[in-house]
Amino acid sequence: MFNNLLFISSIFLVITCAWIFLRLGKSALIAWIVFVGFIANLFVLKQITLFGFNATASDIFAVGGLFGLNLLQEYHGKSATQKAIWASFACYVFFAIMSQIHVAYIPSEYDHAQDMYQSLLMHTPRIIIASIITAFIVQQFDSRFYGAIRKKLPHIPMVFASSMSILISQLLDTALFTVFGLYGIVSALMEIFIVSYIIKCLCIVCLPFVASASKKLIKHD
């Protein structure tokens, strides 16, 4: 029950932060999208129980990142979205390289953190590579699919168009990252895939309502 409450609170917090950074401007929103990607990659290895099922602790950040991209495209255009995607890729690669350099440093006799860093970052290159491949495919797909929805259905609210786009994009995202990033690292892989997508669907179903509530708190000019 405690995990479920934390998860629901996280949905509201992530979506509210997306509106806050949108209001702060294009550069701030791009920075937030990149940062959410880092959080998703860092948190994905922790397995938790949600609604009685095994899941990873990063699903809401994957949904939040795509929602941020759709906000960016809605308010600042497709060019800004592409810049955010490539900025994310560049930062992921930099983090992957620097994390391995950090672990490679020989610790002093007073150090107590090496084992923890090594345990946390040992899978970083694979996860980052999987994220880059997955994110490139999924973000490009989502950007184009969202644009097609807005073109075909220009009068529907932005959050509903975003929800439709993310629903399909996250099926692709979950399948690709489960295979590329988690195969051989975590247990109950098929359960994680099924539960992760169900949880993402729950986030997406809640998205219009949470976005509406959070937007009232953070009024966009």
Side-chain angles (χ1 to χ4, degrees), residues 10 14 32 36-37 39-41 43 57-66 203:
S10 295
V14 169
W32 183 81
V36 167
I39 295 176
N41 288 319
F43 290 177
S58 67
D59 292 329
I60 180 57
F61 300 106
V63 173
L66 286 182
C203 297

Side-chain angles (χ1 to χ4, degrees), residues 4 10 13-14 50-51 59 61 68 70-71 86 93 102 105 110 116 121 131 147-148 163 168 189 195 213:
N4 298 343
S10 295
L13 182 60
V14 169
L50 286 176
F51 307 104
D59 292 329
F61 300 106
N70 290 345
L71 281 176
W86 287 110
V93 171
H102 182 72
Y105 279 118
Y110 304 106
M116 290 181 285
L121 298 176
S131 295
S163 297
I168 304 300
L189 199 65
V195 174

